[in-house]
Amino acid sequence: MSLRRRSQAILLTAAAAALAATAGCADVEGLQDDGDLGTAHAPRTLWKDIRPDPPAPGRQSGAATAVPGLAKVPGLSMKGVNAVDVVRADITATTTADAGTGRLVDPRAIQRLALCTQAVDGGPDCPVRPAVLADVTGNGIPELITALDIDGRVSELRVYTVRDDGTIARILSRRGVLEGVEVAAEHLAIREPTSNPKKVSISDYVWDPEAGIMNLSQLTLDECPGQGDTSPCPAAGSGSGSGSGTGTGTG
């Protein structure tokens, strides 16, 4: 090839490369302009110089708490334990420790518990949910799972276990809008509404033998159960809530 022809070939190749770079991606229909793809920016850290104060002694989350004022459980079995008595003792002690801040327990919880009578199930107006026994620690001994409904929407979920010395300890407390609670294979999954009306959040708690509590292991989003791609979650008043859910999990 002559020097002149070789120079023309190089110029044509360079022009084709420049055209492809400016025209965008190519597909089966030919070259396509993707337009301005914008500029990538690094995440901005907001209020990076402001940090929350550490929790006061006795208020750290993620710690098992012995429930005071309860008799030791014979045989280490929760089967004969009155759930209302356990919740009442726990909420009373926690309210005192909370000192009205609302961090550890809803300030309305004591008033709600006043609706419970001395009946085994607390009476017809008692907001403590029927106890469920399920082994979530993997030791073959079922734990007690219940919740105190605060206002028809917000609830205080509680999980209790029996220690080797017979004392009852709380291994999970969780305030939130309980769209659903499921137990399977030593997992406790809590479904709550989000700000997206078509999505629910799922908090998956599992037993942590070293910490002696149920720890959050996974947090995911899922479509509302039984809903299509265009249908929102069931509205409040139809058996479950919608809107934004909040919750605090502590041991």
Side-chain angles (χ1 to χ4, degrees), residues 26-188:
D27 57 16
V28 293
E29 298 295 333
L31 295 176
Q32 199 172 39
D33 187 358
D34 288 340
D36 184 5
L37 298 180
T39 303
H41 297 281
R44 294 176 57 195
T45 301
L46 307 183
W47 311 299
K48 59 183 178 180
D49 297 327
I50 301 177
R51 293 289 185 272
D53 294 332
R59 295 189 181 181
Q60 293 90 345
S61 61
T65 303
V67 181
L70 295 174
K72 292 188 176 182
V73 178
L76 307 182
S77 175
M78 280 286 194
K79 290 183 179 179
V81 174
N82 187 305
V84 177
D85 290 343
V86 175
V87 173
R88 182 182 284 112
D90 183 21
I91 295 296
T92 300
T94 306
T95 299
T96 300
D98 188 58
T101 65
R103 180 185 176 277
L104 300 179
V105 65
D106 193 293
R108 299 167 292 175
I110 287 292
Q111 295 178 346
R112 293 288 292 160
L113 276 173
L115 298 175
C116 299
T117 66
Q118 296 302 315
V120 175
D121 60 355
D125 298 322
C126 183
V128 176
R129 296 191 183 187
V132 175
L133 299 180
D135 180 15
V136 294
T137 62
N139 64 355
I141 302 175
E143 276 67 46
L144 187 152
I145 306 172
T146 187
L148 171 64
D149 295 326
I150 300 299
D151 59 7
R153 181 168 176 78
V154 176
S155 301
E156 294 273 355
L157 179 70
R158 295 290 190 271
V159 181
Y160 303 95
T161 192
V162 181
R163 291 174 169 170
D164 292 339
D165 62 357
T167 58
I168 294 177
R170 183 184 71 237
I171 58 175
L172 175 65
S173 66
R174 185 74 159 81
R175 184 190 314 167
V177 181
L178 305 181
E179 186 98 15
V181 180
E182 301 171 352
V183 179
E186 300 168 14
H187 285 245
L188 181 69

Side-chain angles (χ1 to χ4, degrees), residues 202-214:
I202 303 176
S203 304
D204 189 23
Y205 288 87
V206 296
W207 173 246
D208 184 340
E210 294 184 2
I213 60 170
M214 298 199 72

Side-chain angles (χ1 to χ4, degrees), residues 206-226:
V206 296
W207 173 246
D208 184 340
E210 294 184 2
I213 60 170
M214 298 199 72
N215 263 333
L216 179 66
S217 67
Q218 189 174 9
L219 182 63
T220 58
L221 286 177
D222 194 11
E223 299 288 341
C224 290

